[in-house]
Amino acid sequence: QMQLVESGGGLVQPGGSLRLSCAGSIVIFRIYEMAWYRQAPGKQRELVASITTTGHTNYVDSVKERFTISRDNPKNMVFLQMNSLKPEDTAIYYCNRRYNSWNWGQGTQVTVSS
């Protein structure tokens, strides 16, 4: 059964940085457009960033110029570099296929607080 495993979250002060990682078993990421999503308490899950198979990226306006999505196809991993973090970035972060999501992983908690 395919599993997605997200890691790299934690508690960070405003203005700080974190790098999230996503690894998958069984499925080969390189043939899919991949994305990072987040879900804040009491809110719906939202798309944060996506990356096509050829490396073209898209971001929600609220994270542009601060977050960078990337992929390492040989290692079958996807990453999210998050800089200049704000309290409103606090959420559980998930990776998944951009379209026709697989089963969701546990996610990784990101908390931005002083």
Side-chain angles (χ1 to χ4, degrees):
Q1 184 176 355
M2 194 277 296
Q3 286 186 317
L4 294 166
V5 180
E6 300 92 349
S7 62
L11 173 63
V12 63
Q13 292 186 341
S17 298
L18 286 172
R19 186 182 190 229
L20 307 184
S21 299
C22 173
S25 62
I26 300 177
V27 66
I28 300 174
F29 283 178
R30 64 177 173 81
I31 65 175
Y32 298 106
E33 182 170 351
M34 296 295 296
W36 282 95
Y37 302 79
R38 67 185 179 188
Q39 186 167 19
K43 295 187 177 182
Q44 290 188 333
R45 185 177 289 143
E46 67 168 342
L47 175 67
V48 175
S50 63
I51 184 166
T52 67
T53 55
T54 55
H56 182 73
T57 59
N58 278 292
Y59 302 91
V60 66
D61 285 347
S62 60
V63 308
K64 283 182 179 177
E65 308 300 327
R66 299 189 298 123
F67 290 11
T68 303
I69 187 172
S70 61
R71 62 195 305 160
D72 185 331
N73 287 335
K75 294 183 178 179
N76 206 39
M77 296 188 72
V78 179
F79 305 97
L80 186 67
Q81 177 67 44
M82 305 187 297
N83 299 327
S84 303
L85 282 161
K86 304 176 180 180
E88 52 263 42
D89 295 318
T90 295
I92 300 174
Y93 285 71
Y94 304 87
C95 73
N96 211 314
R97 194 163 52 170
R98 174 65 179 90
Y99 302 101
N100 300 317
S101 301
W102 297 304
N103 292 334
W104 294 91
Q106 295 293 317
T108 185
Q109 176 70 51
V110 172
T111 303
V112 185
S113 175
S114 55

